[in-house]
Amino acid sequence: MFRTALRNVLAHKARLLMTVLAVMLGVAFVSGTLVFTDTFGNAYKNKSAKSFDHVSVAITSNSSYSGDSQGGPKQKPELTEALLKKAGELPGADSAIGSVSGFTALADKDGKLVGGEWGTTGANYFPGKGGKDPRYDFTEGAAPKSAGQIALDSRTAGRTGYTVGDTVRLSTDGPVRTAKVSGVFDTDEGSVVAGGSLVLFDNKTAFKALNKNQYDEIDVKAAAGASEAALESAVEKILPKESSTMTGGELKAQQDSMIEEQTSSMSQVLLIFAGIALFVGIFIIANTFTMLVAQRTKELALMRAVGASRRQVTRSVLIEAFLVGVIAAVTGFALGIGVAVGLESLMNSAGASLPDGPLVIAPTTILVALLIGVVVTMLAAWLPGRRAAKIPPVAAMNSVHATPTMRGLVVRNTIGSVIVALGAVMLFMKDNYVKSGGAGVMLVGVIVLTPLLSRPFIAASAPLLKPFGVTGKLSRLNSLRNPRRTASTAAALMIGLTLITAMTVVATSMSSAINKMAAGSMKADYSVSMANFQPLTPEVREKLDKLPDVEATSPLRSTYGKTGGTYSTVSGVDPKTFDRLVGLDFTGGSAAGLKTGGALIDTDIAKEQGLKAGDTFPLEFDDDGKKVRLKVSGVYEGNEMLGGVFAPTSVVDPHLTKVVDKQVLVKMKGGASDKAEDAIVKALGENPAITVQDKDAISNAVAGAINMMLNMLYGLLAMAVLIAVLGVINTLAMSVFERKHEIGMLRAIGLDRAKVKQMVRLEAVIISLFGAVLGIGLGLFMGWVAGGTISNSVSTYSMEIPLGRIVIFLGIAALVGVLAAMWPARSAAKLNPLMAIKAE
């Protein structure tokens, strides 16, 4: 039986090619993902390991912070200069370094922000023994020694073209400052390796520039021969109440764990799409083996007649599948290594700046690739093999092709209907996870029902095919001939288009919801904020108020407070201008009461506390724990952009640890324009740290992120669609091979080559459009289900159908059919009529 299976594989090389390609692509996706994430994680671990060479014991603060918007901790600083000195003098300690860091926006020579919104960091240069900081190795110049000097990491210096002696512009909290580059250094800091930038200040300047009143961390290095454990015990004796320690080894393990968690998340996302690609491949494999078995019905019957058992027949088919799976897995794994290298190059070209490191090919990755390739292929081939073994030898000898029984279709349709009904019931459950599961169950049910659904769709296509005459009729009848085959081919395409359509609907609807929020709640022309949403100094608003074209401004000073037993955001605003800058949808009262010390609350707070306009309520500020009683001047409908309590700055400011603004809203006399925006940017010193956005820019920032994510998902799902295309080619090629005799007869009675090609192409288009219509319909349904969940948390969300993109998807499906039919149509047209008529 093994020799027979091997002979069949070698005899049907061309027929199995598409199956090999389908499995190979799926395996390549899986193995490429695993190799990439292993390589990526290992490189980061190696880089981060060097960052802890100077750390034996690290002291960190456990104090609770009141949040970045308030600019500092609630409690008295613990990691002070005095503690640093004590730590450095402990028995077994060689040295102690204090470190501080924070956002620092550096402008390049064109005035643009370097390193991205989250990747530009500032830190202190802490001269230890010999006046050197062991964390940084200077390659040019020297460390900064005064407020007018900074040092740059070598990667940033290379990207920007800055050299020692150049003057640079930078900002940490709003105002622009200038400094000279005193030196360039090398560092293995993770953020720098990942594409960010690092600016070093001298120790005294760092505290002031980064708004620090204590060290973020104190790192103690053990003397030669001293034990880390003994040093940690000594450090613990001098620890302040709210501080804790970790050894360098523990810090490294913690960072390794974080890196592993991050790479694991990325790996899981990629593997989900790889799984979809493999799932689509199952349909193609099952189709191929079904047709191969059908074409060898007589051969299998003869084997049964000479003594082969059902089990042996099934086993011979599985051996074929095993051999195909091994070939596909090995080639897929080799291709997967190329995929991993390609992913790294793609991310680097997109600006990710991944760390360098050797390619990591773990033994488990090789094993997984082989197992997936073999198991998926054998699993898909098992049912056709079992079905072939069940055909009685005498019946099989009387017919070349086994006709599918109606009983089998009835059973399949019954099972599919039950699965769809179960999915529909799950969709009406309250739990979101159950709803998501219901959508998945429904998708499986529709896949099972595709043979039943194919008949009405193909019948409905008759008027569209009528202009093509006899070839149109033949293509329609050929599609109906084997509903299982047509259905499984269309289902492969349907899965990819279902996911693509559902994601497009959700993304389009979400973008529209954000636009509605921005347009409805913002009357101001511009919002001014830090690039990374850190707090702004009040000096920014003061500069804006001096502009002659500015009509009104208001800060938003954000903190937290407790109303009753519920925490909510509390925003300090200018009561004189707020109503002209923000449009709130009031259910009671108005913003007028802000001018007399009143407050605005959202409907959620009003419901929870049983409040209405005119009532008073207690508000306990989180910063200082003090309480005030405020009068409700208005109740408004909150959304994701605006919510909580709005109160005059005169009420909020006395309770803040530090008075800073989250953002400043600006209304110009002539409205938003390029000239107005340019005036604001210039008034703020063309500051790289500050972002000036109008309503469209705010919406576009969110929409841009959504579209970028959507395009990435399109790219990942393209693999599944490509495999589905292979499925269409495979089905048509097999169909042409099966119908050699029929095509020969058609040629003999006058159907020319061009008409034969047209017949095969139309059949491909029908199958592709059937899959596309099913996929788009199911995708719209899935998008509607997902939208129901989203609308519970996003008030402006409503489902929007992207008709333009849906037309494009249908056009792509038709094109897929035409392209997929090229090779099979050419093969059919080249058949010699006489030889084809003689074929069995």
Side-chain angles (χ1 to χ4, degrees):
M1 295 305 290
F2 178 79
R3 285 199 301 273
T4 303
L6 184 60
R7 179 181 60 78
N8 282 321
V9 170
L10 294 173
H12 302 135
K13 294 188 286 291
R15 298 185 218 173
L16 289 166
L17 177 63
M18 294 302 171
T19 300
V20 170
L21 283 172
V23 181
M24 181 185 75
L25 288 172
V27 171
F29 206 156
V30 172
S31 55
T33 296
L34 294 174
V35 170
F36 172 71
T37 49
D38 285 346
T39 302
F40 174 71
N42 183 65
Y44 259 116
K45 283 179 185 177
N46 290 341
K47 290 291 183 183
S48 66
K50 296 177 186 177
S51 300
F52 298 109
D53 289 347
H54 65 283
V55 184
S56 298
V57 178
I59 307 172
T60 55
S61 174
N62 296 333
S63 296
S64 57
Y65 282 75
S66 54
D68 287 337
S69 60
Q70 282 68 62
K74 288 181 182 179
Q75 300 178 350
K76 188 178 177 182
E78 296 93 27
L79 306 190
T80 60
E81 200 71 45
L83 178 64
L84 176 70
K85 189 178 178 183
K86 276 186 189 177
E89 293 170 351
L90 286 171
D94 179 61
S95 61
I97 295 172
S99 62
V100 292
S101 64
F103 175 72
T104 300
L106 175 71
D108 63 16
K109 290 184 177 181
D110 295 324
K112 301 286 176 64
L113 181 65
V114 177
E117 295 169 2
W118 307 99
T120 308
T121 308
N124 65 320
Y125 183 85
F126 189 95
K129 286 186 175 180
K132 290 186 178 180
D133 189 327
R135 297 172 295 179
Y136 310 111
D137 181 22
F138 275 80
T139 56
E140 295 177 46
K145 292 177 182 174
S146 66
Q149 294 182 333
I150 57 107
L152 294 175
D153 70 89
S154 53
R155 286 181 175 86
T156 299
R159 284 204 310 267
T160 59
Y162 286 133
T163 58
V164 174
D166 285 350
T167 299
V168 298
R169 296 168 61 254
L170 53 99
S171 174
T172 57
D173 61 354
V176 177
R177 66 183 77 197
T178 57
K180 281 196 172 183
V181 178
S182 66
V184 176
F185 60 90
D186 283 337
T187 178
D188 289 322
E189 198 73 41
S191 62
V192 175
V193 172
S197 301
L198 182 60
V199 175
L200 291 185
F201 302 96
D202 69 275
N203 198 52
K204 184 179 177 183
T205 302
F207 270 83
K208 187 177 179 182
L210 301 174
N211 192 30
K212 301 286 183 177
N213 58 1
Q214 68 168 347
Y215 287 109
D216 296 334
E217 184 175 299
I218 294 175
D219 299 326
V220 188
K221 172 80 173 171
S227 160
E228 267 193 9
L231 180 59
E232 186 175 25
S233 298
V235 169
E236 283 173 351
K237 291 175 185 175
I238 63 166
L239 278 188
K241 204 178 206 179
E242 296 296 328
S243 301
S244 60
T245 64
M246 290 182 81
T247 64
E250 287 171 340
L251 280 171
K252 182 183 180 304
Q254 186 183 63
Q255 187 156 320
D256 286 353
S257 175
M258 285 172 62
I259 292 167
E260 196 169 327
E261 191 177 324
Q262 289 168 355
T263 54
S264 173
S265 301
M266 182 168 52
S267 176
Q268 284 169 13
V269 170
L270 291 171
L271 286 173
I272 286 169
F273 287 94
I276 292 167
L278 284 167
F279 183 58
V280 169
I282 286 173
F283 291 92
I284 298 170
I285 300 161
N287 242 6
T288 304
F289 277 93
T290 298
M291 288 182 275
L292 284 173
V293 166
Q295 289 163 15
R296 288 164 40 212
T297 304
K298 273 191 173 181
E299 178 190 321
L300 294 172
L302 186 61
M303 288 170 63
R304 290 287 311 282
V306 297
S309 66
R310 283 185 178 183
R311 190 171 292 177
Q312 284 178 308
V313 170
T314 306
R315 197 181 301 151
S316 76
V317 175
L318 290 177
I319 290 169
E320 282 183 58
F322 173 78
L323 294 171
V324 170
V326 168
I327 294 165
V330 171
T331 52
F333 176 73
L335 184 62
I337 295 171
V339 169
V341 174
L343 274 172
E344 186 175 359
S345 299
L346 184 67
M347 292 188 76
N348 279 328
S349 65
S353 298
L354 300 180
D356 295 327
L359 205 65
V360 177
I361 303 172
T364 51
T365 302
I366 300 171
L367 185 63
V368 166
L370 288 170
L371 279 175
I372 285 174
V374 172
V375 170
V376 165
T377 311
M378 291 181 71
L379 186 68
W382 175 75
L383 197 58
R386 187 168 173 269
R387 196 182 295 134
K390 281 177 141 183
I391 301 172
V394 175
M397 293 289 281
N398 289 332
S399 176
V400 176
H401 305 303
T403 306
T405 61
M406 284 304 297
R407 181 176 172 274
L409 282 173
V410 169
V411 170
R412 178 173 178 156
N413 293 339
T414 305
I415 293 170
S417 300
V418 170
I419 294 172
V420 169
L422 176 63
V425 170
M426 291 171 71
L427 289 176
F428 287 98
M429 299 292 181
K430 288 184 179 179
D431 189 277
N432 288 336
Y433 290 107
V434 176
K435 277 187 177 181
S436 302
V441 169
M442 208 158 196
L443 176 60
V444 171
V446 172
I447 290 168
V448 176
L449 283 175
T450 41
L452 177 67
L453 298 170
S454 66
R455 288 187 175 277
F457 176 85
I458 294 169
S461 68
L464 297 174
L465 296 171
K466 199 169 183 180
F468 296 98
V470 68
T471 53
K473 186 176 180 181
L474 286 171
S475 63
R476 180 171 58 82
L477 294 173
N478 288 334
S479 302
L480 286 170
R481 179 179 296 183
N482 192 328
R484 283 193 183 96
R485 182 194 303 165
T486 299
S488 58
T489 306
L493 189 59
M494 179 194 78
I495 293 164
L497 281 174
T498 296
L499 296 171
I500 286 171
T501 305
M503 290 187 302
T504 304
V505 167
V506 171
T508 304
S509 303
M510 198 67 198
S511 292
S512 178
I514 299 295
N515 283 334
K516 286 175 191 172
M517 269 187 229
S521 60
M522 188 172 163
K523 289 182 184 176
D525 295 314
Y526 294 101
S527 168
V528 179
S529 62
M530 290 288 281
N532 68 338
F533 305 105
Q534 289 286 313
L536 276 169
T537 174
E539 184 185 327
V540 169
R541 189 203 178 189
E542 290 170 11
K543 286 185 177 181
L544 293 173
D545 280 336
K546 292 175 184 176
L547 284 175
D549 291 333
V550 169
E551 183 182 316
T553 66
S554 174
L556 283 178
R557 290 173 186 164
S558 187
T559 183
Y560 289 92
K562 194 188 288 184
T563 56
T566 308
Y567 274 100
S568 65
T569 56
V570 179
S571 299
V573 297
D574 187 329
K576 296 175 184 175
T577 59
F578 183 70
D579 193 34
R580 292 154 63 193
L581 298 164
V582 176
L584 297 177
D585 183 12
F586 285 98
T587 60
S590 68
L594 283 172
K595 295 173 184 175
T596 55
L600 310 179
I601 60 172
D602 63 37
T603 49
D604 289 340
I605 296 172
K607 282 178 186 176
E608 285 173 9
Q609 306 301 321
L611 298 171
K612 62 182 184 302
D615 293 346
T616 59
F617 68 100
L619 175 65
E620 181 182 337
F621 284 92
D622 197 37
D623 290 41
D624 59 5
K626 291 182 179 178
K627 288 184 181 179
V628 295
R629 286 199 73 82
L630 298 174
K631 184 179 180 180
V632 179
S633 65
V635 179
Y636 67 94
E637 290 281 356
N639 58 40
E640 286 63 40
M641 293 181 76
L642 293 170
V645 178
F646 287 101
T649 50
S650 58
V651 172
V652 175
D653 288 359
H655 305 282
L656 298 178
T657 305
K658 184 178 181 183
V659 177
V660 286
D661 299 332
K662 181 181 178 183
Q663 60 180 302
V664 178
L665 300 177
V666 185
K667 191 170 186 64
M668 307 296 286
K669 288 175 182 175
S673 66
D674 290 341
K675 184 181 176 183
E677 186 173 338
D678 191 51
I680 292 173
V681 170
K682 284 181 177 174
L684 298 175
E686 297 181 335
N687 194 325
I690 292 178
T691 300
V692 180
Q693 293 176 300
D694 60 12
K695 283 185 273 193
D696 289 340
I698 292 169
S699 298
N700 291 338
V702 179
I706 291 171
N707 286 331
M708 186 174 71
M709 183 183 70
L710 190 61
N711 290 334
M712 285 176 62
L713 295 176
Y714 282 169
L716 293 170
L717 283 171
M719 185 72 78
V721 175
L722 177 60
I723 292 172
V725 172
L726 294 175
V728 177
I729 296 171
N730 207 16
T731 297
L732 291 171
M734 291 293 187
S735 179
V736 167
F737 182 84
E738 273 182 5
R739 287 155 38 209
K740 269 186 182 180
H741 185 83
E742 176 191 316
I743 292 168
M745 289 293 292
L746 289 168
R747 290 291 314 282
I749 62 174
L751 197 70
D752 60 25
R753 287 186 175 185
K755 293 290 184 184
V756 170
K757 284 183 179 179
Q758 188 181 70
M759 177 183 71
V760 176
R761 285 196 198 104
L762 288 173
E763 186 179 344
V765 171
I766 290 170
I767 293 171
S768 297
L769 285 177
F770 171 51
V773 169
L774 264 186
I776 290 168
L778 205 53
L780 291 172
F781 178 75
M782 298 283 189
W784 173 74
V785 171
T789 304
I790 295 169
S791 62
N792 293 331
S793 54
V794 181
S795 57
T796 54
Y797 185 93
S798 61
M799 180 175 167
E800 294 201 5
I801 298 174
L803 290 174
R805 293 202 187 188
I806 286 174
V807 170
I808 290 170
F809 296 159
L810 286 170
I812 289 171
L815 183 63
V816 160
V818 172
L819 294 176
M822 287 178 70
W823 174 53
R826 194 163 170 239
S827 300
K830 286 174 74 176
L831 285 174
N832 185 305
L834 293 176
M835 296 300 294
I837 290 169
K838 287 172 62 180
E840 282 193 70

